[in-house]
Amino acid sequence: MRWTVLENETEVAYAACDRIVSIAKQAIESSGQFHIVLAGGTTPAATYALLAKQHCQWECWHVWFGDERCLPVGHEDRNSTMVHDLFTGKVPIPADQVHVIPAELGPDAAAKQYACITADQPPFDLVILGMGEDGHTASLFPGTDYAKDILVLPVFNAPKHPAQRVSMSAELISRSRHLLFLITGASKHDAVTRWQQGEPLPVALVNGIETTEVLIDSNALGHK
């Protein structure tokens, strides 16, 4: 795992955008496709806004989601709505290559449906993850015993609203060549410290097959 410390959240967003564009180019040159798993949250949102301004082979992109909140289609608090408004709605990625979690169906039905379409998926090229103040990532929260053999999990008791969600499992997230964490803000410092000290937080359960990198700003790391 590589930790890259940057001055502020703006630098994290620009560095993340550069990483994504570079990995996308490599993947498309290698296989003709680029499969990326996106995260929700305010830190990744700045990166998506930057991505929308790039010139890429968008027709080769496939977009997946690491987790989703069980809310109606188009709800402002859904990750897919945020991603559409900032990114996928602004670039010509074919609509059938944006693989939204059908979370409006409820946790069980949505998890089963998303598991079906990801089960035979080759390793993703890149997974983007954030981290909550409690050390959660995607919708994998501390203190929850998640089944090890399920690729997509129904979540019923998330400590943050809404309680019902759908999340890729740590196993499925880790089926990615590259994994990139985006972590900013002083409120994340405690969880970062616990992670670095070896506490088994959800963020510690995932790793990329080839690389795992944490792009973190100085506030989150506790530097002034």
Side-chain angles (χ1 to χ4, degrees):
M1 179 178 290
R2 180 164 59 132
W3 292 73
T4 301
V5 184
L6 298 158
E7 184 175 348
N8 53 47
E9 59 185 15
T10 300
E11 287 196 6
V12 168
Y14 275 96
C17 183
D18 287 345
R19 300 288 195 282
I20 294 167
V21 170
S22 176
I23 292 171
K25 183 179 179 181
Q26 293 171 17
I28 293 168
E29 288 175 351
S30 174
S31 68
Q33 296 183 330
F34 173 56
H35 289 263
I36 183 171
V37 179
L38 299 183
T42 55
T43 301
T47 298
Y48 303 152
L50 291 173
L51 268 180
K53 300 175 183 178
Q54 307 302 307
H55 297 287
C56 299
Q57 292 176 269
W58 299 118
E59 70 278 5
C60 300
W61 284 50
H62 286 258
V63 174
W64 304 82
F65 291 82
D67 72 317
E68 187 57 276
R69 299 160 180 171
C70 292
L71 297 167
V73 174
H75 193 285
E76 62 181 5
D77 290 336
R78 279 182 64 136
N79 295 336
S80 56
T81 302
M82 179 268 284
V83 167
H84 177 272
D85 291 348
L86 292 176
F87 174 40
T88 56
K90 297 182 180 297
V91 299
I93 299 175
D96 63 352
Q97 292 173 199
V98 180
H99 308 282
V100 174
I101 298 174
E104 67 279 1
L105 302 178
D108 275 326
K112 289 176 182 176
Q113 192 171 123
Y114 215 56
C116 286
I117 66 171
T118 55
D120 297 324
Q121 169 68 24
F124 301 110
D125 296 297
L126 175 62
V127 172
I128 304 297
L129 292 172
M131 185 193 73
E133 297 172 10
D134 58 356
H136 84 267
T137 193
S139 282
L140 305 175
F141 291 91
T144 304
D145 186 19
Y146 295 106
K148 304 298 184 185
D149 58 345
I150 298 177
L151 296 181
V152 183
L153 302 162
V155 179
F156 294 94
N157 57 349
K160 297 179 66 175
H161 179 78
Q164 294 190 350
R165 301 172 178 224
V166 179
S167 181
M168 286 188 175
S169 66
E171 178 183 346
L172 182 56
I173 290 171
S174 297
R175 292 184 186 179
S176 178
R177 293 183 175 86
H178 305 282
L179 194 152
L180 188 63
F181 280 101
L182 312 182
I183 303 176
T184 62
S187 64
K188 308 293 179 64
H189 174 57
D190 179 64
V192 168
T193 300
R194 291 159 58 200
W195 182 11
Q196 291 181 324
Q197 291 175 345
E199 190 169 328
L201 297 171
V203 286
L205 302 178
V206 295
N207 282 288
I209 297 168
E210 297 177 18
T211 67
T212 302
E213 183 178 13
V214 181
L215 296 180
I216 186 168
D217 74 355
S218 56
N219 285 328
L221 201 58
H223 295 173
K224 295 184 179 179

mmCIF file of all heavy atoms in Angstrom, residues 56-76:
data_model
loop_
_atom_site.group_PDB
_atom_site.id
_atom_site.type_symbol
_atom_site.label_atom_id
_atom_site.label_comp_id
_atom_site.label_asym_id
_atom_site.label_seq_id
_atom_site.Cartn_x
_atom_site.Cartn_y
_atom_site.Cartn_z
ATOM 1 N N CYS A 56 -11.316 11.668 -23.121
ATOM 2 C CA CYS A 56 -11.014 10.239 -22.995
ATOM 3 C C CYS A 56 -11.802 9.448 -24.037
ATOM 4 O O CYS A 56 -12.708 9.987 -24.682
ATOM 5 C CB CYS A 56 -11.379 9.740 -21.589
ATOM 6 S SG CYS A 56 -10.489 10.551 -20.244
ATOM 7 N N GLN A 57 -11.465 8.190 -24.174
ATOM 8 C CA GLN A 57 -12.224 7.304 -25.064
ATOM 9 C C GLN A 57 -13.452 6.801 -24.296
ATOM 10 O O GLN A 57 -13.530 5.640 -23.888
ATOM 11 C CB GLN A 57 -11.338 6.143 -25.524
ATOM 12 C CG GLN A 57 -10.208 6.563 -26.451
ATOM 13 C CD GLN A 57 -9.303 5.400 -26.807
ATOM 14 O OE1 GLN A 57 -8.305 5.132 -26.148
ATOM 15 N NE2 GLN A 57 -9.669 4.682 -27.871
ATOM 16 N N TRP A 58 -14.398 7.698 -24.128
ATOM 17 C CA TRP A 58 -15.549 7.411 -23.254
ATOM 18 C C TRP A 58 -16.346 6.202 -23.712
ATOM 19 O O TRP A 58 -16.963 5.519 -22.890
ATOM 20 C CB TRP A 58 -16.460 8.636 -23.178
ATOM 21 C CG TRP A 58 -15.812 9.860 -22.620
ATOM 22 C CD1 TRP A 58 -15.611 11.054 -23.256
ATOM 23 C CD2 TRP A 58 -15.280 10.037 -21.297
ATOM 24 N NE1 TRP A 58 -14.986 11.952 -22.420
ATOM 25 C CE2 TRP A 58 -14.775 11.360 -21.213
ATOM 26 C CE3 TRP A 58 -15.181 9.204 -20.177
ATOM 27 C CZ2 TRP A 58 -14.186 11.864 -20.050
ATOM 28 C CZ3 TRP A 58 -14.597 9.708 -19.019
ATOM 29 C CH2 TRP A 58 -14.102 11.015 -18.966
ATOM 30 N N GLU A 59 -16.328 5.924 -25.006
ATOM 31 C CA GLU A 59 -17.101 4.793 -25.519
ATOM 32 C C GLU A 59 -16.566 3.461 -24.992
ATOM 33 O O GLU A 59 -17.259 2.438 -25.068
ATOM 34 C CB GLU A 59 -17.106 4.791 -27.048
ATOM 35 C CG GLU A 59 -15.782 4.454 -27.714
ATOM 36 C CD GLU A 59 -14.800 5.618 -27.818
ATOM 37 O OE1 GLU A 59 -15.108 6.709 -27.265
ATOM 38 O OE2 GLU A 59 -13.744 5.429 -28.450
ATOM 39 N N CYS A 60 -15.360 3.463 -24.431
ATOM 40 C CA CYS A 60 -14.749 2.240 -23.901
ATOM 41 C C CYS A 60 -14.934 2.095 -22.394
ATOM 42 O O CYS A 60 -14.518 1.084 -21.817
ATOM 43 C CB CYS A 60 -13.256 2.222 -24.225
ATOM 44 S SG CYS A 60 -12.872 2.274 -25.990
ATOM 45 N N TRP A 61 -15.545 3.083 -21.763
ATOM 46 C CA TRP A 61 -15.678 3.070 -20.303
ATOM 47 C C TRP A 61 -16.907 2.282 -19.858
ATOM 48 O O TRP A 61 -17.981 2.367 -20.480
ATOM 49 C CB TRP A 61 -15.796 4.489 -19.761
ATOM 50 C CG TRP A 61 -14.514 5.263 -19.713
ATOM 51 C CD1 TRP A 61 -13.604 5.426 -20.722
ATOM 52 C CD2 TRP A 61 -14.010 6.004 -18.602
ATOM 53 N NE1 TRP A 61 -12.567 6.216 -20.314
ATOM 54 C CE2 TRP A 61 -12.777 6.592 -19.013
ATOM 55 C CE3 TRP A 61 -14.471 6.235 -17.307
ATOM 56 C CZ2 TRP A 61 -12.014 7.389 -18.154
ATOM 57 C CZ3 TRP A 61 -13.711 7.034 -16.463
ATOM 58 C CH2 TRP A 61 -12.490 7.597 -16.890
ATOM 59 N N HIS A 62 -16.743 1.530 -18.774
ATOM 60 C CA HIS A 62 -17.851 0.895 -18.066
ATOM 61 C C HIS A 62 -17.803 1.374 -16.621
ATOM 62 O O HIS A 62 -16.764 1.249 -15.964
ATOM 63 C CB HIS A 62 -17.739 -0.634 -18.103
ATOM 64 C CG HIS A 62 -18.066 -1.231 -19.431
ATOM 65 N ND1 HIS A 62 -19.286 -1.845 -19.700
ATOM 66 C CD2 HIS A 62 -17.360 -1.296 -20.585
ATOM 67 C CE1 HIS A 62 -19.290 -2.266 -20.949
ATOM 68 N NE2 HIS A 62 -18.134 -1.951 -21.515
ATOM 69 N N VAL A 63 -18.899 1.923 -16.155
ATOM 70 C CA VAL A 63 -18.957 2.503 -14.812
ATOM 71 C C VAL A 63 -19.807 1.629 -13.902
ATOM 72 O O VAL A 63 -20.946 1.279 -14.235
ATOM 73 C CB VAL A 63 -19.528 3.933 -14.861
ATOM 74 C CG1 VAL A 63 -19.722 4.491 -13.451
ATOM 75 C CG2 VAL A 63 -18.609 4.854 -15.671
ATOM 76 N N TRP A 64 -19.248 1.270 -12.752
ATOM 77 C CA TRP A 64 -19.927 0.483 -11.731
ATOM 78 C C TRP A 64 -19.972 1.284 -10.434
ATOM 79 O O TRP A 64 -19.308 2.310 -10.316
ATOM 80 C CB TRP A 64 -19.186 -0.840 -11.504
ATOM 81 C CG TRP A 64 -19.013 -1.659 -12.742
ATOM 82 C CD1 TRP A 64 -18.062 -1.516 -13.711
ATOM 83 C CD2 TRP A 64 -19.826 -2.763 -13.171
ATOM 84 N NE1 TRP A 64 -18.221 -2.442 -14.715
ATOM 85 C CE2 TRP A 64 -19.305 -3.232 -14.400
ATOM 86 C CE3 TRP A 64 -20.937 -3.405 -12.625
ATOM 87 C CZ2 TRP A 64 -19.846 -4.299 -15.095
ATOM 88 C CZ3 TRP A 64 -21.479 -4.469 -13.315
ATOM 89 C CH2 TRP A 64 -20.936 -4.910 -14.535
ATOM 90 N N PHE A 65 -20.737 0.794 -9.483
ATOM 91 C CA PHE A 65 -20.889 1.515 -8.211
ATOM 92 C C PHE A 65 -20.571 0.592 -7.041
ATOM 93 O O PHE A 65 -21.057 -0.543 -6.981
ATOM 94 C CB PHE A 65 -22.308 2.070 -8.077
ATOM 95 C CG PHE A 65 -22.594 3.178 -9.056
ATOM 96 C CD1 PHE A 65 -22.956 2.893 -10.356
ATOM 97 C CD2 PHE A 65 -22.450 4.508 -8.691
ATOM 98 C CE1 PHE A 65 -23.191 3.904 -11.278
ATOM 99 C CE2 PHE A 65 -22.678 5.529 -9.594
ATOM 100 C CZ PHE A 65 -23.047 5.227 -10.893
ATOM 101 N N GLY A 66 -19.757 1.099 -6.112
ATOM 102 C CA GLY A 66 -19.381 0.302 -4.952
ATOM 103 C C GLY A 66 -20.492 0.123 -3.955
ATOM 104 O O GLY A 66 -20.566 -0.902 -3.267
ATOM 105 N N ASP A 67 -21.378 1.105 -3.890
ATOM 106 C CA ASP A 67 -22.522 0.992 -2.982
ATOM 107 C C ASP A 67 -23.590 1.993 -3.389
ATOM 108 O O ASP A 67 -23.341 2.881 -4.218
ATOM 109 C CB ASP A 67 -22.107 1.193 -1.522
ATOM 110 C CG ASP A 67 -21.765 2.644 -1.192
ATOM 111 O OD1 ASP A 67 -21.077 3.302 -2.007
ATOM 112 O OD2 ASP A 67 -22.182 3.134 -0.121
ATOM 113 N N GLU A 68 -24.765 1.819 -2.815
ATOM 114 C CA GLU A 68 -25.870 2.727 -3.102
ATOM 115 C C GLU A 68 -26.847 2.749 -1.938
ATOM 116 O O GLU A 68 -26.964 1.780 -1.175
ATOM 117 C CB GLU A 68 -26.600 2.309 -4.389
ATOM 118 C CG GLU A 68 -27.657 3.290 -4.872
ATOM 119 C CD GLU A 68 -27.111 4.692 -5.100
ATOM 120 O OE1 GLU A 68 -27.023 5.456 -4.102
ATOM 121 O OE2 GLU A 68 -26.783 5.024 -6.256
ATOM 122 N N ARG A 69 -27.516 3.859 -1.796
ATOM 123 C CA ARG A 69 -28.531 4.036 -0.755
ATOM 124 C C ARG A 69 -29.888 3.664 -1.327
ATOM 125 O O ARG A 69 -30.192 3.993 -2.479
ATOM 126 C CB ARG A 69 -28.523 5.488 -0.281
ATOM 127 C CG ARG A 69 -27.188 5.882 0.326
ATOM 128 C CD ARG A 69 -27.002 7.377 0.354
ATOM 129 N NE ARG A 69 -25.711 7.721 0.954
ATOM 130 C CZ ARG A 69 -25.203 8.943 0.961
ATOM 131 N NH1 ARG A 69 -25.853 9.937 0.367
ATOM 132 N NH2 ARG A 69 -24.036 9.168 1.532
ATOM 133 N N CYS A 70 -30.686 2.985 -0.525
ATOM 134 C CA CYS A 70 -31.997 2.520 -0.995
ATOM 135 C C CYS A 70 -32.994 3.670 -0.959
ATOM 136 O O CYS A 70 -33.791 3.834 -0.022
ATOM 137 C CB CYS A 70 -32.474 1.327 -0.164
ATOM 138 S SG CYS A 70 -31.478 -0.151 -0.445
ATOM 139 N N LEU A 71 -32.945 4.454 -2.003
ATOM 140 C CA LEU A 71 -33.798 5.631 -2.179
ATOM 141 C C LEU A 71 -34.363 5.602 -3.596
ATOM 142 O O LEU A 71 -33.857 4.879 -4.451
ATOM 143 C CB LEU A 71 -32.973 6.909 -1.971
ATOM 144 C CG LEU A 71 -32.370 7.104 -0.570
ATOM 145 C CD1 LEU A 71 -31.331 8.213 -0.585
ATOM 146 C CD2 LEU A 71 -33.475 7.399 0.450
ATOM 147 N N PRO A 72 -35.408 6.377 -3.864
ATOM 148 C CA PRO A 72 -36.004 6.366 -5.205
ATOM 149 C C PRO A 72 -35.012 6.789 -6.284
ATOM 150 O O PRO A 72 -34.051 7.533 -6.025
ATOM 151 C CB PRO A 72 -37.155 7.374 -5.086
ATOM 152 C CG PRO A 72 -37.474 7.425 -3.627
ATOM 153 C CD PRO A 72 -36.173 7.226 -2.922
ATOM 154 N N VAL A 73 -35.241 6.317 -7.497
ATOM 155 C CA VAL A 73 -34.417 6.712 -8.645
ATOM 156 C C VAL A 73 -34.416 8.241 -8.765
ATOM 157 O O VAL A 73 -35.459 8.879 -8.677
ATOM 158 C CB VAL A 73 -34.962 6.081 -9.941
ATOM 159 C CG1 VAL A 73 -34.203 6.611 -11.153
ATOM 160 C CG2 VAL A 73 -34.861 4.568 -9.876
ATOM 161 N N GLY A 74 -33.230 8.807 -8.920
ATOM 162 C CA GLY A 74 -33.116 10.247 -9.082
ATOM 163 C C GLY A 74 -33.043 11.020 -7.785
ATOM 164 O O GLY A 74 -32.859 12.248 -7.817
ATOM 165 N N HIS A 75 -33.165 10.347 -6.644
ATOM 166 C CA HIS A 75 -33.084 11.048 -5.358
ATOM 167 C C HIS A 75 -31.713 11.713 -5.229
ATOM 168 O O HIS A 75 -30.687 11.133 -5.582
ATOM 169 C CB HIS A 75 -33.306 10.060 -4.216
ATOM 170 C CG HIS A 75 -33.544 10.716 -2.892
ATOM 171 N ND1 HIS A 75 -32.523 11.299 -2.157
ATOM 172 C CD2 HIS A 75 -34.678 10.882 -2.163
ATOM 173 C CE1 HIS A 75 -33.021 11.786 -1.034
ATOM 174 N NE2 HIS A 75 -34.327 11.554 -1.022
ATOM 175 N N GLU A 76 -31.700 12.919 -4.692
ATOM 176 C CA GLU A 76 -30.451 13.692 -4.631
ATOM 177 C C GLU A 76 -29.382 13.055 -3.749
ATOM 178 O O GLU A 76 -28.185 13.350 -3.884
ATOM 179 C CB GLU A 76 -30.729 15.114 -4.135
ATOM 180 C CG GLU A 76 -31.304 15.178 -2.729
ATOM 181 C CD GLU A 76 -31.598 16.593 -2.285
ATOM 182 O OE1 GLU A 76 -31.439 17.519 -3.093
ATOM 183 O OE2 GLU A 76 -31.983 16.779 -1.114
#
